[in-house]
Amino acid sequence: MTSEKELKTLEFDKILKILSGYVSSRPAAELVLKIKPENSLEKAKDLLERTIQADRVSYEFCCSPSFAIDDVSEHIEALRKDATLGCKALLQIAGVLRCAANFRRSVSKLPDGECPLIREYADNMFVDAEAVARISESVMNESELYDGASVKLREIRGAIRRTNDKIKQKLSGYISGGYSKYLQDNIVTMRGDRYVIPVKSECQGQIPGLVHDRSSSGATVFIEPLAVVELNNELRGLLSDEQNEIAEILQSLSFMLSQIVDGIERSFELIAEADCVFAKARYAREIKAVAPLLNADGIIEISKGRHPLIDKNKVVPIDVRLGSDFKVLLITGPNTGGKTVTLKLVGLFSLMASSGMFVPCEENSRLAVFDGVYCDIGDEQSIEQSLSTFSSHMVNLIRITKEADFNSLVLLDELGAGTDPAEGSALAIAVIEYLLSKNCRCITTTHYNELKEYSYRADGVSNASMDFDAETFAPVYRLLIGVSGSSNAIKIAAKLGLPSDITSRATALLSDEKVSFDSIIASAEKSRREAEESKKRAQELERQAQEELEKARRESAEVHVKSKKLDEKLARKATELLGDYMEEADEIIEKMREDLKKGDEEALFDARRLRKRLENAAHKKESGEVAERYEREDGEIAVGDSVFVKKLNSTAKVTRIDDRKKRYTVSCGNLTTEIAFADARKIRITQEKKTLKRRVLPDTTEGCPHELNVIGQTVDEAVYNVESYLSRAILCGLREVRIVHGKGSGALRAGLHAYFSSNRSIESFRLGKYGEGEDGVTIVTLK
């Protein structure tokens, strides 16, 4: 189990405090601050899935339920004790029931089968529309009831208003009548719930009545004239009746709620829980976090991880892996290079993921659910406990080695530091070997060369270093796994301004073994950087070659386009020429008809055959369809034979023969008709398919960019423009395009997604990832 000390060291408490700012109510905020990481894979996956579904509800289905409620826990306890609630408490409980009903109504609009865990919250919430209606009809505000809260209350308040009017009417007679000269002010006021008038002290005997008060100066006495005493008594009685009736109404409403108090408490708790889940989804969007893949195998693979507590404009993403091919990762490198931040990032990510929270990294990053996360980070020397830095580290190490097991993550900062280097390094190696024997997953930082050497020969251990600029020795906060690094303490001190006499002497004092080992590491580092430079140059050459290839493809496409236009031009010329030939053939046929008349029928048939061939040739050139050829054939005509029909000037197929009527039934395309024996000539048809070759455009983007921006357009305008753009993209051979629609209300995105779902030319589509535009763009993959 991860202790409170570890949670604080890894700054998990700070994450929870930030998360509490994303909830809508104080009960939910208190619940957030009590979150503890799960050590069960199934429970952690369940929590994470709830956050995933809350994110879908909010951003995919554009449903934003409200969880703004008051803390009614004390009111619930009061109801259990049959206490009577006031107006404010009643309104707050009605707010909880109303929130539950609104949440259930919002979730019911989701597509069937979607987000079942969120539906579970809604289905389990208790709702009572009748109770809410009764409270809303009775309670006006936090201190008043409506007159219509009961029939009796309406009658009492009516009587109070009438009595007030009578009293004011009588007192007005004193103010405007002959008594006005005795009054200090011409006003009616109240003293002790009774109406009085201010009379001059010296004129007190002129107005018979009861004295209720005097001014501080004694110049004014407040008298209740005898004429209104009875009315005031009546008014006080009515006011008492009103309070009694209000008390009965509040008691009745409280009793009604006490009968459903268990349901109210359940809704109150579920609303707070759901508020927490949706807060996790909102926080994830704020820090551009994703849902990691969880496992129980101790495997950590973080890609482009960003510490959530570091300014997003300054944080440098890092890649870390552990648990697959090695169980212990030994990180070396210069001070202030990011070693401790890396330790905290791995620990914090594990805690966040086990609590159902997204983490800021690339998709498909993997995190393990551990039974406990243990750490010894920072200088924890204690004057009160007489502990030095080394002693405080040892106290932590003793606890960790006792409690950690095969399903634990151990994070150790500067293992073995604070004592003699030889003994410290030996102790550090012994601790690592012990943790390896317990099959723990461990990441530790160190400056000891002995540990660097150990990492090369030990199984299950890999070294890593924090990269730095070779010229300035400034850190670049990039973790290089499989590479040992040097501390470069003397060189960094020189860069910071330490006198050269001191740094030179410090270098001279280094042992030969230390210099030799550092030289080996420096040489390896130099080779690595040279390899990286070579790789960069190779990538640049590859990029240039790709650009040349794209240029060649564009030029090839231009040639194809020009060739196609030339083919079309030649086809038009050929069609025009063949048209001339057909006109000439028609003239020949007409001349032959005039010359032959009833003579040589066979010559007429041949002439018509010539015209048909010319017509077919023209059609073939124009449309690229099958060209039809036929020749006259001897013999009797049978069902299924092809014939030339003079009256139709076309070929047909015989479907029926009527010898009695001497007529054929023939089909010509969709036309079926009867013709005389004499109008048909048996022929033999051959087909030659000579279609124009389709030219496939090469993969080119010329004239067709990879992106279309439709921000500000209506859905209809956007769909029309996107449809035209996708047609061009397909012709240009584009595989993937980017449609920029913006975030806005989500209506434009929803309309375009509906169109994408029905377009058969689209293989798939998705929202943009971090760095691609996120919800403001859709990436479309074409078939």
Side-chain angles (χ1 to χ4, degrees):
M1 177 68 70
T2 306
S3 69
E4 288 293 334
K5 179 176 178 295
E6 261 93 11
L7 295 177
K8 188 173 182 180
T9 300
L10 295 173
E11 301 177 298
F12 184 66
D13 59 324
K14 294 182 180 179
I15 295 296
L16 295 185
K17 187 174 182 180
I18 294 173
L19 180 61
S20 67
Y22 287 81
V23 299
S24 304
S25 67
R26 186 167 65 86
E30 293 175 353
L31 207 59
V32 165
L33 296 176
K34 296 177 182 177
I35 288 177
K36 292 292 183 293
E38 290 289 345
N39 55 13
S40 163
L41 178 62
E42 293 305 317
K43 291 181 179 179
K45 281 186 174 181
D46 179 76
L47 291 175
L48 197 60
E49 181 60 29
R50 291 176 190 273
T51 307
I52 292 172
Q53 292 185 20
D55 181 81
R56 293 190 63 204
V57 169
S58 298
Y59 300 99
E60 182 177 338
F61 300 116
C62 301
C63 176
S64 300
S66 171
F67 301 103
I69 59 172
D70 293 292
D71 187 352
V72 297
S73 54
E74 292 183 0
H75 308 329
I76 291 173
E77 289 302 315
L79 289 174
R80 293 192 186 282
K81 297 176 182 178
D82 296 327
T84 299
L85 302 182
C87 293
K88 181 178 180 180
L90 291 171
L91 289 175
Q92 289 177 344
I93 287 183
V96 171
L97 294 176
R98 190 179 294 109
C99 180
N102 290 339
F103 181 66
R104 180 179 287 187
R105 185 164 48 253
S106 298
V107 172
S108 68
K109 297 178 182 179
L110 298 176
D112 292 340
E114 295 288 353
C115 306
L117 295 177
I118 302 301
R119 288 181 184 276
E120 186 179 299
Y121 283 121
D123 294 341
N124 290 330
M125 285 182 186
F126 174 79
V127 296
D128 192 328
E130 184 179 348
V132 174
R134 278 195 60 186
I135 294 173
S136 300
E137 292 168 358
S138 302
V139 184
M140 178 186 300
N141 52 44
E142 294 183 355
S143 59
E144 284 185 274
L145 296 181
Y146 286 111
D147 291 353
S150 73
V151 175
K152 185 176 180 180
L153 183 63
R154 179 182 286 110
E155 292 174 352
I156 292 172
R157 287 184 173 175
I160 289 173
R161 284 190 289 272
R162 290 191 296 272
T163 303
N164 275 324
D165 291 342
K166 289 179 183 179
I167 293 172
K168 290 176 182 178
Q169 185 177 1
K170 283 188 175 293
L171 292 178
S172 295
Y174 284 91
I175 294 173
S176 59
Y179 291 99
S180 60
K181 59 185 177 181
Y182 304 126
L183 302 181
Q184 195 72 262
D185 294 297
N186 292 329
I187 60 171
V188 175
T189 184
M190 296 192 74
R191 286 294 185 274
D193 295 331
R194 301 183 77 87
Y195 285 100
V196 295
I197 54 178
V199 180
K200 296 176 182 177
S201 181
E202 63 272 17
C203 303
Q204 176 178 345
Q206 303 299 321
I207 300 178
L210 304 176
V211 176
H212 286 280
D213 196 8
R214 293 179 181 274
S215 66
S216 57
S217 62
T220 305
V221 292
F222 296 93
I223 297 177
E224 177 187 5
L226 293 176
V228 298
V229 169
E230 193 61 33
L231 289 174
N232 270 329
N233 290 338
E234 181 181 345
L235 179 62
R236 291 194 68 178
L238 289 172
L239 292 174
S240 178
D241 292 342
E242 179 190 28
Q243 292 304 312
N244 292 336
E245 180 60 18
I246 288 174
E248 288 187 14
I249 294 172
L250 294 178
Q251 186 176 12
S252 173
L253 293 174
S254 299
F255 177 76
M256 173 192 68
L257 294 179
S258 69
Q259 303 304 301
I260 57 174
V261 65
D262 290 338
I264 295 171
E265 185 175 36
R266 185 169 72 250
S267 290
F268 173 64
E269 292 174 351
L270 288 175
I271 289 171
E273 286 182 27
D275 194 1
C276 290
V277 173
F278 278 80
K280 291 177 184 178
R282 288 191 290 271
Y283 178 54
R285 288 276 172 164
E286 179 67 24
I287 63 175
K288 295 180 173 58
V290 300
L293 304 177
L294 298 181
N295 68 86
D297 302 320
I299 297 175
I300 296 175
E301 292 178 356
I302 300 173
S303 176
K304 300 291 186 294
R306 308 178 308 279
H307 198 292
L309 297 178
I310 298 178
D311 187 342
K312 62 183 179 180
N313 297 317
K314 297 179 181 179
V315 65
V316 179
I318 61 171
D319 298 337
V320 185
R321 74 176 191 274
L322 178 70
S324 52
D325 47 352
F326 52 86
K327 298 175 184 177
V328 175
L329 183 63
L330 194 64
I331 303 178
T332 58
N335 291 323
T336 70
K339 299 191 298 297
T340 304
V341 172
T342 301
L343 282 182
K344 287 189 173 183
L345 179 139
V346 174
L348 183 59
F349 274 25
S350 297
L351 298 176
M352 291 175 66
S354 299
S355 305
M357 301 174 65
F358 291 7
V359 292
C361 59
E362 290 291 307
E363 290 184 352
N364 298 319
S365 292
R366 305 172 68 188
L367 288 168
V369 177
F370 295 101
D371 288 340
V373 177
Y374 302 93
C375 63
D376 178 48
I377 299 174
D379 185 359
E380 298 183 5
Q381 63 177 326
S382 171
I383 296 175
E384 292 84 356
Q385 299 179 22
S386 300
L387 293 177
S388 66
T389 299
F390 178 75
S391 298
S392 66
H393 285 311
M394 285 304 101
V395 170
N396 284 337
L397 276 176
I398 291 169
R399 177 180 59 86
I400 291 171
T401 53
K402 285 182 179 179
E403 298 179 6
D405 59 18
F406 68 94
N407 195 30
S408 299
L409 174 64
V410 178
L411 306 170
L412 304 174
D413 192 22
E414 301 296 343
L415 179 59
T419 187
D420 177 73
E423 293 186 7
S425 59
L427 185 61
I429 292 174
V431 169
I432 291 174
E433 289 179 343
Y434 181 78
L435 294 175
L436 274 174
S437 69
K438 297 186 74 172
N439 208 24
C440 296
R441 303 300 186 273
C442 175
I443 302 179
T444 181
T445 66
T446 186
H447 288 287
Y448 291 146
N449 282 343
E450 290 80 3
L451 265 70
K452 300 174 187 178
E453 295 172 359
Y454 170 75
S455 66
Y456 283 107
R457 65 175 186 270
D459 293 333
V461 180
S462 179
N463 52 26
S465 67
M466 302 306 299
D467 200 7
F468 60 93
D469 189 302
E471 297 297 326
T472 64
F473 293 96
V476 296
Y477 307 106
R478 185 161 61 101
L479 185 67
L480 304 174
I481 294 179
V483 177
S484 286
S486 298
S487 299
N488 295 312
I490 297 175
K491 293 180 180 178
I492 293 174
K495 287 287 183 180
L496 294 174
L498 192 66
S500 59
D501 293 345
I502 298 176
T503 57
S504 298
R505 177 57 180 161
T507 302
L509 290 173
L510 289 175
S511 67
D512 294 340
E513 292 81 2
K514 168 69 175 173
V515 174
S516 176
F517 187 76
D518 285 349
S519 298
I520 293 172
I521 292 179
S523 177
E525 179 65 16
K526 181 180 179 182
S527 298
R528 182 188 66 80
R529 294 184 185 279
E530 290 175 352
E532 282 193 353
E533 290 298 324
S534 298
K535 182 180 178 181
K536 288 180 181 179
R537 287 195 296 271
Q539 289 175 341
E540 178 63 21
L541 291 174
E542 183 181 0
R543 184 190 63 79
Q544 293 176 0
Q546 189 65 30
E547 289 179 355
E548 292 296 327
L549 178 60
E550 292 297 328
K551 181 179 179 182
R553 284 178 176 172
R554 289 194 296 269
E555 292 175 351
S556 176
E558 291 178 2
V559 172
H560 279 283
V561 171
K562 291 178 180 178
S563 176
K564 183 178 179 180
K565 290 180 178 179
L566 181 60
D567 287 346
E568 292 174 352
K569 184 176 181 181
L570 291 174
R572 286 196 300 270
K573 290 293 183 181
T575 301
E576 293 174 2
L577 183 60
L578 289 172
D580 294 337
Y581 288 160
M582 283 192 292
E583 290 180 6
E584 184 178 355
D586 285 337
E587 292 176 2
I588 294 172
I589 291 171
E590 285 300 320
K591 187 173 184 300
M592 291 177 66
R593 184 179 286 112
E594 292 174 1
D595 291 345
L596 298 174
K597 294 193 176 177
K598 297 182 180 179
D600 190 356
E601 194 70 27
E602 184 175 348
L604 179 60
F605 178 82
D606 290 339
R608 283 175 173 161
R609 186 181 65 183
L610 173 63
R611 184 189 183 284
K612 186 64 178 178
R613 287 180 62 188
L614 289 171
E615 183 179 309
N616 287 339
H619 185 261
K620 177 185 69 176
K621 283 291 185 181
E622 186 173 326
S623 64
E625 295 179 352
V626 175
E628 191 175 71
R629 294 187 178 188
Y630 52 85
E631 297 178 358
R632 184 169 181 175
E633 188 174 22
D634 296 331
E636 294 185 0
I637 298 174
V639 174
D641 286 344
S642 296
V643 296
F644 180 83
V645 184
K646 292 183 288 184
K647 289 185 176 180
L648 298 177
N649 194 27
S650 180
T651 61
K653 187 174 288 293
V654 177
T655 59
R656 184 173 176 273
I657 300 176
D658 190 338
D659 292 324
R660 186 174 61 82
K661 294 182 180 180
K662 298 187 181 300
R663 298 183 70 81
Y664 298 120
T665 301
V666 299
S667 62
C668 180
N670 294 326
L671 175 67
T672 301
T673 186
E674 289 185 354
I675 60 173
F677 281 176
D679 291 333
R681 291 288 182 272
K682 186 177 181 180
I683 60 174
R684 181 174 68 255
I685 296 178
T686 59
Q687 293 183 337
E688 182 180 356
K689 189 171 182 180
K690 293 184 177 180
T691 57
L692 291 173
K693 293 181 179 179
R694 291 179 59 189
R695 297 186 182 276
V696 180
L697 289 176
D699 185 12
T700 177
T701 59
E702 184 178 29
C704 186
H706 281 80
E707 177 182 292
L708 177 66
N709 191 324
V710 294
I711 293 176
Q713 299 180 13
T714 65
V715 173
D716 291 339
E717 291 173 342
V719 168
Y720 176 85
N721 291 329
V722 168
E723 186 174 25
S724 174
Y725 167 74
L726 292 181
S727 298
R728 287 191 290 124
I730 291 171
L731 288 176
C732 291
L734 296 184
R735 174 65 175 165
E736 188 177 85
V737 296
R738 184 169 180 262
I739 307 300
V740 182
H741 44 66
K743 297 181 180 179
S745 66
L748 180 56
R749 177 179 65 242
L752 287 173
H753 282 195
Y755 163 70
F756 294 152
S757 299
S758 62
N759 191 324
R760 295 182 179 179
S761 299
I762 294 175
E763 181 175 310
S764 64
F765 62 93
R766 61 175 175 80
L767 289 175
K769 300 178 183 176
Y770 173 60
E772 292 180 331
E774 300 162 338
D775 295 354
V777 306
T778 296
I779 307 300
V780 178
T781 302
L782 301 171
K783 292 183 178 178

